[in-house]
Amino acid sequence: MSDAPAAHHHEHHEHGHGNFAESNKKYFDEHAAKYDDVPGAVELASRISEKILKKYPFDEERTTVLDYACGTGLISRNLAPHTKSIVGVDISQGMVDQYNLRVSNQGIPPEEMKAVRAELKGDDNELGGAKFDVVVCSMAYHHFDSIDDTTRVLAHFVRPGGRLMVADLYRGDDALIPEQYKHVAHHHGIDTGELKDVFAKHGIVGFEHEHAATFTMHGKEMSAFLAVGTKQAA
C-alpha cells in the first residue's frame, strides 16, 4: 500500500477501526491508477520481494500466497513466477481493479493470480476456506488501527508450518509520515518488539526481522524491515 508507522499497545482505538478503513479506502481509490508511478515504489517492492523469496522455499508447482493489502500488485508480480497461485486482497476497489487489469494484460489466468476487494475478519468461510503457505503484508501495517487484530486475521490464513511475512517501517522517535495523511494510523513506524509479541500471541513463532531497504519518502530517509514467523501446528 504506502508509507510507514506504529505505537505500542495503545493503538489509537479512540479513532475507531472504521474511520481508518474508510479513509484508507478513499485515499487508495483516488490514487490507484497512478500508484505504480510513485517515485521509488517499484524499486522498494522489488527489494522487499527479494528478501521475501529468501525466507521460504517457494515452489512454482506448490506454493500458495495471500498478498494482503496488495495494492496494484507490485509484490504479487514479483512473487508470481515462483508460486502456484496468488490471491491479493485489498480494501480499495480501485487497487483491486488495477491489480486484475495488469494480470489480464499479461494473460495470466485468474486461478493463478487474482485480487478481491474484502475486509477480512479471520472467519473460516472467507476466501473459500483457503489457507496459504505464505501470507505477505508489505508496507501496510502502519495504515491499520490495530496491529494486534490485523495479525490475528492474517495468522488465521497461514497454514500450519507456513510463514507470515510483514514488511514495514522501523519505528522512529520522530513522525516518519506527516500528520496530514489521515489514512495512516501509525505515523512513527512499527515497533518490531511489539510485532514479535503480537506474532507470538497469535501462534506465529520463530520471529526474526532484518533490514529490507532504505529509501526516501516525504523528504526523509527511511528504513524498512521484513519480519517473518512460522505458524505453529494446532
Side-chain angles (χ1 to χ4, degrees):
M1 278 167 83
S2 93
D3 340 272
H8 282 280
H9 295 302
H10 49 280
E11 287 180 330
H12 303 271
H13 291 301
E14 68 274 14
H15 294 292
H17 168 74
N19 291 340
F20 279 114
E22 285 303 315
S23 58
N24 274 294
K25 189 188 307 181
K26 182 173 185 291
Y27 179 86
F28 288 106
D29 279 345
E30 291 172 355
H31 292 80
K34 296 183 178 180
Y35 190 74
D36 289 4
D37 299 329
V38 173
V42 172
E43 173 63 19
L44 177 60
S46 176
R47 291 163 72 184
I48 290 172
S49 299
E50 288 175 7
K51 298 288 186 179
I52 290 171
L53 287 167
K54 293 176 181 177
K55 292 298 181 181
Y56 184 83
F58 282 83
D59 183 332
E60 64 185 61
E61 300 295 327
R62 291 197 294 265
T63 304
T64 59
V65 175
L66 171 62
D67 183 358
Y68 187 70
C70 63
T72 61
L74 289 174
I75 295 290
S76 287
R77 294 199 293 278
N78 287 321
L79 300 183
H82 309 277
T83 66
K84 177 183 177 183
S85 65
I86 295 184
V87 176
V89 172
D90 203 282
I91 195 173
S92 163
Q93 187 64 51
M95 288 294 195
V96 166
D97 290 345
Q98 291 294 322
Y99 183 116
N100 288 328
L101 176 64
R102 286 158 172 75
V103 170
S104 64
N105 285 345
Q106 294 178 47
I108 301 171
E111 58 268 23
E112 293 181 15
M113 187 175 179
K114 67 178 179 183
V116 296
R117 199 211 77 78
E119 295 182 54
L120 298 179
K121 307 298 184 186
D123 296 334
D124 287 336
N125 61 347
E126 295 175 312
L127 302 181
K131 304 288 186 179
F132 298 86
D133 298 309
V134 178
V135 174
V136 174
C137 185
S138 177
M139 303 305 289
Y141 256 53
H142 58 275
H143 290 279
F144 302 136
D145 180 33
S146 175
I147 291 169
D148 187 334
D149 194 53
T150 299
T151 303
R152 175 191 64 78
V153 170
L154 296 188
H156 172 82
F157 291 98
V158 184
R159 68 159 181 80
R163 303 275 163 79
L164 174 60
M165 305 193 195
V166 173
D168 216 298
L169 299 178
Y170 281 107
R171 181 173 173 80
D173 292 333
D174 297 326
L176 302 175
I177 300 171
E179 294 291 334
Q180 66 262 31
Y181 286 82
K182 300 299 184 184
H183 60 291
V184 173
H186 305 289
H187 290 262
H188 292 265
I190 301 296
D191 184 293
T192 53
E194 177 186 358
L195 197 59
K196 178 180 180 179
D197 291 344
V198 173
F199 269 40
K201 176 181 177 181
H202 298 293
I204 306 294
V205 299
F207 181 91
E208 59 180 277
H209 69 87
E210 64 182 67
H211 178 267
T214 300
F215 61 102
T216 301
M217 186 176 285
H218 306 302
K220 297 181 180 181
E221 185 174 274
M222 300 186 188
S223 292
F225 64 84
L226 176 66
V228 181
T230 302
K231 178 71 172 284
Q232 279 184 311

